[in-house]
Amino acid sequence: MKLSRVLPIAGLAAVGATVANAETITVATVNNNDMVVMQSLTDAFEQSHPDIQLDWVVLEENVLRQRLTTDIATGGGQFDVMTIGTYEVPIWAERSWLTPLDNLPEDYQVDDLLKSVRDGLSHDGTLQALPFYAESSMMYYRKDLFDEAGITMPDQPTWEEVREWASKLHNADQEQYGICLRGKPGWGENMALVSTMVNTFGGRWFDMDWQPQIDSPAWQEAVSFYVDLLSNYGPPGASSNGFNENLALFSRGNCAMWVDATSAAGKLFDADQSSVADKLGFAPAPIAKTPKGSHWLWSWALAIPASSDSKDAARQFITWATSKDYVSLVGEREGWTSVPPGTRTSTYENPNYQESAPFAGFVLDAIQGADPTDSTLEPSPYTGVQFVGIPEFQSIGTQVGQMIAAALTGETSVEQALQSSQRATERTMQRAGYLD
């Protein structure tokens, strides 16, 4: 056992022997709402698996990524289950850092997993992680504010329209902000959004020769638009806001619009967690010059590092936490809007989910419509919508994200931020052997 656990007084003697013989697995996960729900259901898992105890490490997204990357690259073995994403899985699997997940139990129903999500978590045709939830991106908006202002949401909003609406709906004195967007630096934080904006403004991270394009006119236009929009019509301190912070702001009614992950829909439509549940509208992520790459594709998944000494127990946990039965358990305990979205066809065919989640079909279409192999207007050599599927991108994206956050706070100009990002990325790509 890695950590001792405090036992309740009642039944101490009866339970003591079981716990003493139990195998403890350490699960590292992100502090998003769906994972907090998973942690809250520890008792359900341990009751059905009395020989396994769960020890949780729950971290903020950027910190989690740093901890997990360091541990797996060094073979540290601190964790038995890692919450990783569509970016890490194929890269880590190619280096044999993950435990392949073949021969899953028949009742797990692998074919029920959405194909686009399953493919993104596979390497050489074998699943390397099991999807806990999957998402694309979309726009949330306050229908009551739109109605008051006489604004009609089109089937496909544009970023120019978003700026016009934000200017009409922004009222900082009332703590009502025209728009909330990610500003916290990180390749999976502000750069997830900014990359989709660059895509739809006609830009790309690299040309076909792996030459960085960060100082291109498309990047300049997209990032200038982003900085101006958020500076003029966003909340104060936007450079500190990631997914969770903006979710809290929107849930409290402080944002007229928010463009972010489809996985937020369940919480926003839950009246127990959201003060705007009855005022919520949703639309596709905005576009600019092209619809390509305007909405991302991501899956948070559970993987077993090759360094784990408890692979069998870890496998039992991740198959439980990503199963159809788990979806039903969450639906019954937490409400159907709280079930992990985007992973299983059966979830979207479930009448309980359809009735409770008016956004279900919309989200499914967004996930299935995102194409990581064709996400830019001009050809690009990489796979990924909001990331570049190469090992170097984690450091590149984080560094560029820091520079764009500096432009957002006014510490530097957009032009200077992009020029610095271009030079830094060129150096990284040269050292990695992509460039002469």
Side-chain angles (χ1 to χ4, degrees):
M1 290 175 63
K2 294 186 176 73
L3 290 176
S4 61
R5 297 172 59 93
V6 178
L7 294 172
I9 298 299
L12 180 62
V15 179
T18 301
V19 174
N21 296 323
E23 185 173 11
T24 298
I25 60 172
T26 301
V27 182
T29 195
V30 67
N31 63 342
N32 291 351
N33 185 64
D34 291 277
M35 285 71 171
V36 173
V37 171
M38 174 172 61
Q39 184 186 13
S40 75
L41 296 174
T42 295
D43 62 329
F45 174 78
E46 292 181 347
Q47 286 169 13
S48 61
H49 299 77
D51 294 333
I52 303 172
Q53 300 285 312
L54 303 179
D55 172 40
W56 292 90
V57 177
V58 183
L59 300 168
E60 185 270 332
E61 186 169 329
N62 287 338
V63 177
L64 176 78
R65 288 189 164 118
Q66 292 169 358
R67 286 276 301 274
L68 296 190
T69 301
T70 299
D71 186 74
I72 199 144
T74 60
Q78 293 182 53
F79 309 107
D80 302 297
V81 174
M82 291 182 167
T83 304
I84 59 176
T86 314
Y87 166 72
E88 292 95 348
V89 169
I91 294 172
W92 292 5
E94 188 172 4
R95 298 180 176 187
S96 300
W97 289 351
L98 301 178
T99 302
L101 300 170
D102 48 6
N103 300 318
L104 291 166
E106 185 175 345
D107 61 4
Y108 184 75
Q109 298 184 28
V110 172
D111 291 342
D112 186 43
L113 299 175
L114 296 178
K115 185 178 185 303
S116 60
V117 176
R118 193 169 71 231
D119 289 347
L121 299 176
S122 297
H123 178 65
D124 289 341
T126 300
L127 273 167
Q128 304 288 325
L130 301 182
F132 183 66
Y133 75 76
E135 64 184 30
S136 184
S137 52
M138 63 192 286
M139 185 163 81
Y140 305 97
Y141 67 97
R142 289 272 302 276
K143 290 193 295 185
D144 57 329
L145 299 181
F146 269 58
D147 290 343
E148 289 171 13
I151 302 171
T152 301
M153 176 63 70
D155 291 338
Q156 175 58 73
T158 68
W159 278 110
E160 282 293 343
E161 288 172 326
V162 167
R163 177 160 59 186
E164 180 184 348
W165 299 333
S167 70
K168 294 180 179 179
L169 300 174
H170 186 69
N171 188 344
D173 291 340
Q174 300 295 320
E175 295 187 346
Q176 177 185 301
Y177 308 109
I179 190 161
C180 292
L181 297 171
R182 297 188 188 192
K184 180 186 292 185
W187 72 265
E189 281 282 8
N190 62 345
M191 292 316 298
L193 174 73
V194 171
S195 292
T196 62
M197 294 184 70
V198 168
N199 292 340
T200 195
F201 274 83
R204 53 187 172 166
W205 276 91
F206 300 97
D207 67 14
M208 292 301 290
D209 296 320
W210 289 104
Q211 181 65 37
Q213 301 294 294
I214 304 170
D215 60 355
S216 66
W219 270 82
Q220 182 75 36
E221 186 178 0
V223 176
S224 295
F225 185 95
Y226 161 80
V227 169
D228 289 345
L229 179 65
L230 205 47
S231 297
N232 290 325
Y233 309 119
S239 62
S240 298
N241 294 342
F243 171 78
N244 284 324
E245 292 82 5
N246 284 317
L247 175 60
L249 281 167
F250 196 95
S251 298
R252 292 197 300 264
N254 296 118
C255 310
M257 292 177 285
W258 180 35
V259 180
D260 212 299
T262 57
S263 57
K267 185 167 185 178
L268 292 178
F269 269 98
D270 184 348
D272 292 334
Q273 304 184 70
S274 168
S275 66
V276 297
D278 60 341
K279 307 176 182 70
L280 184 60
F282 53 89
I287 63 171
K289 294 179 180 178
T290 175
K292 285 190 174 185
S294 61
H295 57 288
W296 68 61
L297 179 64
W298 181 257
S299 175
W300 278 116
L302 303 179
I304 304 171
S307 55
S308 169
D309 292 328
S310 302
K311 293 184 179 66
D312 289 342
R315 186 181 173 102
Q316 290 183 59
F317 172 70
I318 69 171
T319 53
W320 173 85
T322 61
S323 66
K324 286 177 65 175
D325 288 343
Y326 178 85
V327 172
S328 297
L329 176 65
V330 174
E332 291 161 6
R333 283 206 186 186
E334 305 291 329
W336 283 94
T337 57
S338 296
V339 304
T343 59
R344 289 185 171 272
T345 301
S346 57
T347 301
Y348 291 87
E349 294 173 346
N350 189 310
N352 294 315
Y353 189 60
Q354 291 175 348
E355 182 180 350
S356 302
F359 51 84
F362 179 91
V363 169
L364 182 61
D365 289 343
I367 291 172
Q368 294 179 324
D371 187 354
T373 66
D374 185 21
S375 62
T376 56
L377 184 60
E378 296 181 272
S380 62
Y382 54 86
T383 298
V385 180
Q386 80 283 20
F387 61 81
V388 177
I390 59 173
E392 295 76 16
F393 182 73
Q394 184 164 347
S395 61
I396 290 171
T398 295
Q399 193 168 20
V400 174
Q402 290 167 343
M403 294 177 186
I404 289 178
L408 182 59
T409 61
E411 294 175 39
T412 185
S413 68
V414 169
E415 185 175 13
Q416 289 170 330
L418 296 183
Q419 288 174 351
S420 298
S421 297
Q422 175 76 10
R423 291 192 296 269
T425 304
E426 285 175 347
R427 288 193 296 269
T428 299
M429 297 302 279
Q430 285 170 347
R431 286 197 299 268
Y434 290 85
L435 303 174
D436 294 332

